Amino acid sequence: MVLIVFFCLLAANIVLPSLAGASQADENKMVSLFEAAMAKEDQTAALKHVLDYSEQANGEHAPETIRLMHRYGFSLYKDRKYQEAINVLKQTLERSTEVYGETGGEAFEINLNLAKAYSQRRKRWAPRLKYFDRALEILRERGERESILYVATLVEVVINLLNSNSLSGSPTDQFNDFTPSEDVSEIEVSIGSEYRNNFGKPEQYLLEAVEIGAKIENLDEYILAKIAVLHAKLKVLETADLAAVPGGVEGRITRSRARNYYDLEEERLTTAINKLAQDSETNHACLDAANKILLDIAWLEKDEGRLRAACTS
């Protein structure tokens, strides 16, 4: 049947087993609308027509309907219709929870996609981290903490936060401790500035990834080297951020200390590159990323020799 072909192509082999709630006329209308949307290369609209039909034919809480709704919400996300995607995905999560429970069905994937949608909609970390953390919690409740999927999710969270442009902080005024003089009418209060940034949060996820990676190297012998490349990127960005803090503000690091930090990250990268190079074809993307970070370090240190070496390697 033409309808089954559509479902196979568009909805990851979702086939509606029961059409008791829909007439042949309803089916024909859906097929016509579907074809019109696909002719315009509007997959999101096409999915919506199939979803509407599934809700009528199978009910809002049917497994097929829930899967279609999830795909429709993710399609809205890919179309950059982030608020619409959030609304649909939250409704999908509610239906999924009613049918499969809090950890069953596609609960992990729905939470992950909600986090991605919130990442594009709001700069604040709280909404996205709520769903990222819930996705990780679901894997733990399923007994999948020591898995490639769990580590990959941790890495995805870190990359998301790195791309958020919200890691840098700003100096804040701090009231320093003081000792009042004998003449209480002459109390002196000094105010200083302190700088704090937000690099600590993504590093927490990375350190957990390192912990688990060490336990599952038998599944991927390069996993720690891959994590090390991302860790080096995070630390290089943090060092550059702290080195750029205005003078006199607590939290600023000197150029000499920054250089020491860069040297440590260069060592981390060199170790990772040597490991990844054992299978350069498979690990070429990570190797490229590592070499770009080395180039960043050379540029930040204004080391012309390193820059020439990095550009010619």
Side-chain angles (χ1 to χ4, degrees):
M1 188 169 69
V2 174
L3 177 58
I4 294 179
V5 174
F6 286 150
F7 283 126
C8 290
L9 290 175
L10 189 58
N13 293 318
I14 295 174
V15 180
L16 300 183
S18 169
L19 303 178
S23 65
Q24 185 62 47
D26 293 327
E27 180 180 332
N28 292 339
K29 179 181 179 181
M30 185 278 296
V31 171
S32 177
L33 292 170
F34 176 92
E35 290 178 335
M38 291 302 291
K40 297 178 181 178
E41 299 184 350
D42 190 345
Q43 182 170 315
T44 301
L47 264 171
K48 183 63 166 65
H49 295 310
V50 179
L51 172 60
D52 290 343
Y53 178 75
S54 181
E55 288 182 334
Q56 180 182 0
N58 296 286
E60 293 182 348
H61 292 82
E64 298 87 351
T65 303
I66 294 172
R67 288 195 293 271
L68 277 166
M69 194 173 192
H70 182 196
R71 282 149 184 76
Y72 172 57
F74 187 64
S75 189
L76 285 168
Y77 165 78
K78 291 192 293 184
D79 287 347
R80 300 184 178 183
K81 298 177 180 179
Y82 301 122
Q83 188 57 56
E84 292 180 54
I86 288 170
N87 295 340
V88 171
L89 289 170
K90 288 179 74 172
Q91 188 176 10
T92 305
L93 186 60
E94 291 175 1
R95 293 185 185 180
S96 176
T97 300
E98 290 180 28
V99 175
Y100 299 107
E102 294 186 349
T103 63
E106 296 179 341
F108 165 76
E109 293 84 359
I110 297 169
N111 276 280
L112 203 60
N113 288 331
L114 267 167
K116 293 176 183 177
Y118 269 113
S119 299
Q120 299 297 328
R121 181 63 177 169
R122 298 181 184 177
K123 289 185 177 182
R124 291 191 307 112
W125 285 2
R128 74 183 74 178
L129 288 181
K130 171 185 175 181
Y131 292 102
F132 273 134
D133 288 341
R134 180 56 190 149
L136 289 165
E137 185 179 16
I138 288 170
L139 292 182
R140 291 195 296 271
E141 292 176 1
R142 291 178 179 176
E144 298 180 43
R145 183 172 185 263
E146 294 183 8
S147 67
I148 296 293
L149 179 58
Y150 190 88
V151 173
T153 305
L154 288 168
V155 168
E156 183 167 357
V157 176
V158 174
I159 293 173
N160 180 279
L161 297 180
L162 281 175
N163 292 332
S164 69
N165 296 321
S166 301
L167 291 170
S168 295
S170 59
T172 56
D173 290 335
Q174 300 289 328
F175 288 90
N176 298 327
D177 293 335
F178 65 92
T179 302
S181 63
E182 293 182 1
D183 184 356
V184 294
S185 65
E186 296 181 3
I187 297 178
E188 293 185 359
V189 179
S190 62
I191 301 177
S193 292
E194 181 181 11
Y195 179 79
R196 294 180 181 178
N197 58 32
N198 301 308
F199 285 85
K201 186 63 176 179
E203 189 166 23
Q204 289 178 5
Y205 291 101
L206 264 183
L207 292 176
E208 186 179 5
V210 171
E211 174 200 339
I212 299 171
K215 298 177 181 179
I216 61 172
E217 278 189 284
N218 61 310
L219 301 177
D220 181 356
E221 64 175 304
Y222 303 106
I223 191 167
L224 288 177
K226 295 172 183 175
I227 296 170
V229 173
L230 183 58
H231 203 168
K233 178 67 173 179
L234 179 70
K235 299 305 288 185
V236 167
L237 289 173
E238 182 180 21
T239 299
D241 183 66
L242 294 174
V245 174
V249 176
E250 184 180 349
R252 178 181 181 271
I253 61 174
T254 64
R255 184 174 179 180
S256 175
R257 179 170 293 185
R259 184 177 294 111
N260 290 336
Y261 289 163
Y262 290 138
D263 289 344
L264 289 173
E265 297 315 314
E266 185 174 12
E267 291 177 14
R268 191 201 304 264
L269 286 167
T270 299
T271 301
I273 288 171
N274 289 338
K275 179 64 177 179
L276 294 167
Q278 294 176 13
D279 187 352
S280 57
E281 184 176 352
T282 301
N283 299 319
H284 69 90
C286 283
L287 286 166
D288 288 346
N291 284 309
K292 288 178 181 177
I293 300 169
L294 286 175
L295 186 60
D296 289 340
I297 292 174
W299 183 84
L300 288 165
E301 291 191 326
K302 303 297 186 289
D303 189 324
E304 295 182 5
R306 284 186 187 177
L307 281 169
R308 284 193 295 270
C311 291
T312 57
S313 61

